[in-house]
Amino acid sequence: MSVQTLRGGLLLMLSVALLTGAVYALNLGRIVPIEGAQMLTRGQLCAQAECSETRPVALPYFSPRDFDDGLETLHFVFDVPLEAAPEPVFALYLPKFSDNLDIWVNGAQVRQNSLPLRLWNTPLLVPVPAQLLQAGDNQVALTLYGPKAEAIDLRPLFLGPQVVLKPHYNARWFAGPGLARFAFGLMLLLSGALLLIWQSRRAERGYLWLGLSCLAAVAFLIHYAFGQSFGSYRIWTITWALSASLYVLLVLKFITSFLGQPPSLAERVHFFVLVGGVIVTLFSPPGYSFALVASINVLTVFPAVAVLGVLWRNRAALNWFDFLVLGVCMAPSVALGCYEVWMMGFNAPSRSLHLFHIMPIIMAFACLWLIVSQLVASLRGLERLTAQQSDVIAAKSRELKDSFARLAEVEKRQAISDERDRIMLDLHDGIGGHLVSTLAYIRNNDLQDETLVRALEDALRDLALMLDSMENTDSLTTLLGMLRTRLEGLLAEHGLEFDWQIHGEPDLAVKGPSQNLHVARIVQEAITNVIKHAGADTITVYADEARIEISDNGSGFDRVARASAGQIGHGLLGMKRRAQAIDAELELESDGAGTRVRLLFADVKRRAAE
Amino acid sequence: MDADRDLRGGPEETVLIIEDRADIAARLTEAVTSTDGVTVAGVATTLDQGINLLYDLRPRIVLVDIGLPDGSGIEAVKAAAKADWTVDALVVSIFGDESRVFEALQAGAKGYILKSGALRQIGDDILAVLEGGSPISPAIARHLLAVLNTGMEPKPEAVECHLTDRETEILRAVARGYKRHEIGAQLGISAGTVGNHITSIYRKLEVGTNMEAVMRATKIGVL
């Protein structure tokens, strides 16, 4: 045991002692004079039943304890002077005595004892018939019975009108057996419920310990609530007194298992003390039973403080409010236990009202709070989880929807792609095949028709361009690259070569395969014009974001003359038309240094923006 | 084939053409025949016949059409890759869609030629392959860039290989229509080195690409 634990333990002990002191200071249920009734505090204690020899006694009276087995019987006589014969119904009110009694008023018995009931915690209100009382002297005789080991206890009693005494009796009955019976019923219900819960959740031992602790409380509450006893004096004393000690052990087990802690040292030590105590008490003379169990209950204060210690050490595992509720409930519970131990241990306690039976009610509240709080926490967790789950489901559903949409898109694209492939195949193998066959026929048969050959070759090139533009939908420069690859051979035949200068992707106002095809046709037309007419040896193809320019180093042409001649006018018109279609501007320059065809994109865009 | 000697004095390299369309086959034959140093060893019109001829003729070069009546030309490319003599396969196809290009390159094709391109260029492509290069068209370069380019996001996990900056530069230039010697001049390296880079890109693709994933990504539109 470390110094820290020791210090903490001592501090807790001190706190419990202070609380116990507070309970003591409250002096609940103290017996004070009642207005309108006579409080009997002085009487005679008889040496024998006939009461020939008496000695004066003052109440409260406690007989000395001894270790004898058997029943103590004491006879008391009280002289009560009355000014007048009572008119209302009178009654005798005994707030506290032990354990049972007979009562005579003026020689007539008004109560026969109800042994073996032990009414040590139960007040008594005995009606006294009016005709029994008279003006002047009256005598009230009591015979008390109680176990010698626990001694006989008689507190001041009252004689007065029943209506005056009844409320006091009721209040005391409620505070004593009333609350004890309520606690008894509550514990019985709780133990049943908790053990039932444990049956379905065997892994959660907390329910078992709490359920069993409630059963232990039921055992000692029978003693507090009903005064009933079962079995021999020794067996019953062990049962009720040590069930309180067992209760502490079970609560300790509950709290450690609830907090997920390993069994504490206090738990093990207390278990052995308890078992040892039971065995020792069983094999000792019955007269010692009470003293032995009272000693064990004194020792039980330590494990009870350990419950508080475990709670304090694990305060981090609980939320602050739960800790507060538990602390506020458990500390007074331990104080009530100490108070009871004190009352049990002293032969003549200065307090008359037992409060220990309130302890299980407070503890039940604390433990139920803990369980409900845990339940609420796990419900919250469940809600959070459910919310998370539905978020996940929503996200997954969205993903699924997206992927369905994507799949549909993919299928659509696949269908388009398949259709495109089919058209390309048809164009290539169908029209392309016919063109190639026709060209081959012309060559093989040596038909000298250059116009026809050129037209066929143009058609083939145009077809290839179309196929290229269908294949390269996203990049104009790649389309130009493909165009170059195809025209390279033709250029070589005419002694021409490219000066290729592609610096960037032209920024068309509207992008798409047909726009690209327009551009490619313009470029192809410009290049074939150079091949056919310019007499150049280099064709420069320049492209950047803003423009495409095709220039040659030929002799240039007289545009007006050529246009009027209609030779390239038709081609130029086509180029202009195509440029318009793609919102581009076509410029044509021709001079002695060559011809330049410019296709401008950025300017057109900027002007449109303005 | 002692009678057939090219101008440099060495024996002519043999070419096998596997192409089911007669006109294309004729144009390919014509293109090969008109190229110095190579000669057509045979023409097959089916995959089955093509693979048989491949083993019978043991050509140096095989030109394969992808869409053959009895199967995919890729099978012939694979057969060539596994052959116990040196033989390079070039795929000739009307289509240049990504998945087919990658399939072919992964199978070990040395090049991919689009039929819509100038078929008369094929002779040059064959010579380039013989010199250890890998012919590549602008459209194919663009496809390669689309898949391999590090600039693309999100990057498909299927593509494990990364292009070097130089390789990206070269592919971008090819995609814009520049020729090897022009690229070499721009970058201050020889045309042969440019060819080596392209070959290297092909080989990277061959080893570092999960073909199915690329095809999937291509179809979904990630690439």
Side-chain angles (χ1 to χ4, degrees):
Chain A
M1 199 184 283
S2 70
V3 178
Q4 206 180 0
T5 315
L6 203 64
R7 198 173 51 201
L10 283 174
L11 270 172
L12 275 175
M13 293 269 195
L14 190 68
S15 319
V16 168
L18 279 173
L19 269 173
T20 310
V23 175
Y24 180 85
L26 275 175
N27 196 3
L28 290 169
R30 76 176 173 278
I31 297 160
V32 291
I34 296 168
E35 208 182 320
Q38 283 200 52
M39 181 157 92
L40 315 182
T41 54
R42 288 177 183 286
Q44 308 286 320
L45 178 61
C46 309
Q48 1 26 47
E50 309 86 61
C51 219
S52 48
E53 265 179 63
T54 62
R55 62 181 175 89
V57 286
L59 300 186
Y61 175 82
F62 300 93
S63 71
R65 280 180 183 169
D66 60 28
F67 299 113
D68 268 357
D69 188 15
L71 208 63
E72 173 92 278
T73 308
L74 290 177
H75 308 279
F76 294 88
V77 175
F78 297 89
D79 292 321
V80 191
L82 286 176
E83 284 171 10
E87 274 181 25
V89 177
F90 261 49
L92 267 170
Y93 165 47
L94 293 96
K96 169 128 175 84
F97 62 94
S98 70
D99 275 335
N100 216 322
L101 82 178
D102 299 319
I103 305 174
W104 288 268
V105 174
N106 290 332
Q109 191 165 13
V110 291
R111 176 181 158 85
Q112 169 79 49
N113 76 72
S114 52
L115 283 171
L117 276 187
R118 295 172 61 191
L119 305 177
W120 63 280
N121 194 35
T122 308
L124 200 63
L125 187 71
V126 181
V128 180
Q131 67 269 24
L132 285 181
L133 295 167
Q134 61 208 19
D137 282 350
N138 292 277
Q139 195 192 52
V140 175
L142 309 175
T143 301
L144 279 105
Y145 310 91
K148 281 181 175 166
E150 292 178 46
I152 277 172
D153 171 12
L154 182 64
R155 309 286 172 134
L157 53 147
F158 299 87
L159 180 68
Q162 193 172 349
V163 286
V164 173
L165 295 174
K166 181 88 178 175
H168 294 273
Y169 164 77
N170 281 348
R172 196 159 182 108
W173 192 90
F174 173 76
L179 277 179
R181 284 177 194 190
F182 171 71
F184 171 82
L186 185 67
M187 289 300 115
L188 212 56
L189 278 175
L190 275 180
S191 61
L194 288 165
L195 291 177
L196 218 63
I197 293 175
W198 176 69
Q199 273 294 315
S200 61
R201 302 175 77 94
R202 290 285 180 103
E204 291 173 40
R205 286 290 183 85
Y207 292 113
L208 173 68
W209 303 131
L210 204 56
L212 289 178
S213 81
C214 290
L215 272 185
V218 163
F220 68 75
L221 283 169
I222 291 173
H223 190 63
Y224 281 78
F226 303 104
Q228 282 287 359
S229 62
F230 300 93
S232 69
Y233 172 74
R234 176 164 54 190
I235 294 296
W236 181 241
T237 303
I238 291 173
T239 307
W240 78 260
L242 293 189
S243 65
S245 192
L246 179 65
Y247 176 86
V248 171
L249 177 69
L250 291 168
V251 166
L252 188 58
K253 284 190 93 65
F254 163 72
I255 205 93
T256 47
S257 106
F258 181 83
L259 293 168
Q261 297 296 309
S264 64
L265 179 71
E267 203 177 304
R268 281 194 293 266
V269 171
H270 184 49
F271 176 77
F272 287 113
V273 167
L274 198 53
V275 171
V278 169
I279 292 167
V280 168
T281 313
L282 273 175
F283 291 99
S284 302
Y288 288 90
S289 298
F290 185 74
L292 284 169
V293 297
S295 315
I296 292 164
N297 278 351
V298 169
L299 292 177
T300 304
V301 168
F302 296 103
V305 171
V307 172
L308 294 177
V310 169
L311 189 64
W312 177 258
R313 264 210 309 278
N314 295 288
R315 60 193 181 280
L318 293 161
N319 73 53
W320 69 272
F321 197 73
D322 287 353
F323 176 73
L324 195 74
V325 169
L326 280 180
V328 162
C329 292
M330 284 188 170
S333 295
V334 176
L336 285 175
C338 293
Y339 184 69
E340 184 68 14
V341 164
W342 171 79
M343 280 182 85
M344 234 177 131
F346 273 83
N347 187 29
S350 57
R351 298 292 180 264
S352 66
L353 189 63
H354 288 265
L355 295 171
F356 189 58
H357 51 271
I358 299 170
M359 184 278 290
I361 302 175
I362 302 176
M363 283 301 291
F365 175 76
C367 296
L368 280 180
W369 173 273
L370 209 58
I371 289 170
V372 169
S373 161
Q374 197 191 34
L375 193 70
V376 167
S378 58
L379 276 178
R380 267 199 211 119
L382 194 68
E383 271 171 21
R384 235 185 346 260
L385 197 68
T386 312
Q388 268 173 11
Q389 285 297 319
S390 46
D391 281 354
V392 169
I393 289 170
K396 289 283 168 203
S397 308
R398 266 198 306 279
E399 265 174 39
L400 204 61
K401 214 171 126 189
D402 285 354
S403 69
F404 271 134
R406 211 145 21 137
L407 206 61
E409 179 66 19
V410 166
E411 276 170 9
K412 202 173 102 186
R413 271 201 225 174
Q414 188 60 49
I416 292 172
S417 163
D418 288 350
E419 189 60 12
R420 190 190 66 180
D421 286 358
R422 189 188 64 76
I423 294 170
M424 284 172 74
L425 197 68
D426 285 351
L427 283 175
H428 190 279
D429 291 359
I431 296 175
H434 292 316
L435 290 172
V436 169
S437 304
T438 313
L439 270 171
Y441 175 81
I442 292 172
R443 284 193 185 123
N444 293 342
N445 293 285
D446 211 16
L447 301 175
Q448 300 293 334
D449 191 337
E450 273 309 304
T451 316
L452 190 58
V453 168
R454 260 205 304 279
L456 285 172
E457 280 176 348
D458 283 351
L460 255 179
R461 259 195 301 280
D462 200 49
L463 180 62
L465 200 62
M466 285 164 66
L467 291 172
D468 275 353
S469 75
M470 287 169 86
E471 188 60 55
N472 300 282
T473 52
D474 55 344
S475 169
L476 190 50
T477 53
T478 303
L479 188 55
L480 292 179
M482 291 304 287
L483 185 68
R484 177 186 186 181
T485 309
R486 275 185 295 95
L487 293 179
E488 196 99 68
L490 185 68
L491 255 71
E493 281 172 20
H494 289 83
L496 277 158
E497 62 178 20
F498 276 119
D499 178 9
W500 202 250
Q501 293 185 31
I502 306 294
H503 298 288
E505 194 72 43
D507 192 11
L508 268 67
V510 182
K511 293 178 170 61
S514 58
Q515 282 78 7
N516 285 352
L517 184 57
H518 279 312
V519 175
R521 276 188 165 140
I522 292 169
V523 175
Q524 179 161 274
E525 176 73 25
I527 292 170
T528 44
N529 278 345
V530 175
I531 296 172
K532 288 172 189 166
H533 310 290
D537 59 22
T538 302
I539 303 177
T540 303
V541 177
Y542 175 95
D544 62 18
E545 287 76 7
R547 66 191 167 107
I548 295 178
E549 185 173 322
I550 301 98
S551 52
D552 63 73
N553 59 354
S555 50
F557 57 88
D558 181 343
R559 194 172 149 200
V560 183
R562 293 284 189 179
S564 60
Q567 286 199 343
I568 59 169
H570 180 70
L572 261 177
L573 270 177
M575 284 159 82
K576 289 225 163 190
R577 193 167 39 78
R578 290 186 194 286
Q580 264 172 3
I582 57 167
D583 276 348
E585 199 178 331
L586 189 82
E587 283 179 7
L588 184 73
E589 284 174 14
S590 188
D591 53 33
T595 307
R596 288 165 296 281
V597 176
R598 264 188 225 107
L599 199 52
L600 301 163
F601 310 108
D603 284 357
V604 175
K605 270 182 102 179
R606 197 169 55 236
R607 251 178 273 138
E610 284 163 6
Chain B
M1 293 224 210
D2 283 352
D4 298 324
R5 286 185 177 271
D6 73 1
L7 294 176
R8 285 169 301 196
E12 291 206 320
E13 300 289 3
T14 50
V15 178
L16 170 64
I17 295 167
I18 309 176
E19 166 66 68
D20 61 320
R21 289 170 202 280
D23 56 326
I24 306 279
R27 285 169 67 192
L28 288 172
T29 306
E30 190 194 325
V32 172
T33 311
S34 64
T35 305
D36 290 336
V38 287
T39 182
V40 176
V43 177
T45 53
T46 63
L47 178 64
D48 193 41
Q49 191 192 2
I51 290 178
N52 284 332
L53 280 181
L54 178 73
Y55 288 109
D56 289 348
L57 300 173
R58 297 170 72 89
R60 176 67 182 81
I61 299 285
V62 55
L63 296 180
V64 189
D65 177 29
I66 293 231
L68 293 167
D70 57 341
S72 168
I74 299 294
E75 296 306 318
V77 175
K78 287 179 182 163
K82 275 185 254 169
D84 57 0
W85 71 97
T86 308
V87 51
D88 292 325
L90 277 134
V91 170
V92 181
S93 171
I94 185 169
F95 305 115
D97 54 299
E98 291 95 317
S99 54
R100 272 181 249 222
V101 173
F102 285 110
E103 208 180 348
L105 294 181
Q106 257 213 326
K110 285 288 185 313
Y112 198 101
I113 299 154
L114 295 181
K115 288 177 185 175
S116 63
L119 283 184
R120 56 187 112 184
Q121 288 280 98
I122 273 180
D124 294 343
D125 290 335
I126 292 171
L127 291 179
V129 169
L130 286 174
E131 282 160 18
S134 302
I136 183 168
S137 76
I140 300 299
R142 187 159 178 80
H143 293 324
L144 286 177
L145 269 177
V147 176
L148 303 175
N149 195 357
T150 45
M152 294 282 286
E153 291 296 338
K155 196 164 171 57
E157 71 276 20
V159 182
E160 282 161 16
C161 59
H162 298 279
L163 296 183
T164 62
D165 288 348
R166 176 53 50 100
E167 285 165 353
T168 308
E169 218 170 6
I170 289 171
L171 273 186
R172 193 165 289 146
V174 173
R176 286 178 170 179
Y178 287 105
K179 300 291 153 190
R180 272 160 217 242
H181 61 91
E182 290 168 349
I183 298 168
Q186 279 173 24
L187 302 177
I189 53 178
S190 74
T193 310
V194 175
N196 291 343
H197 278 296
I198 292 167
T199 307
S200 153
I201 293 164
Y202 278 7
R203 295 288 78 80
K204 275 187 186 182
L205 195 70
E206 207 175 312
V207 295
T209 312
N210 177 341
M211 201 50 237
E212 273 183 39
V214 169
M215 285 170 80
R216 206 163 46 236
T218 307
K219 283 188 176 166
I220 289 169
V222 176
L223 302 180

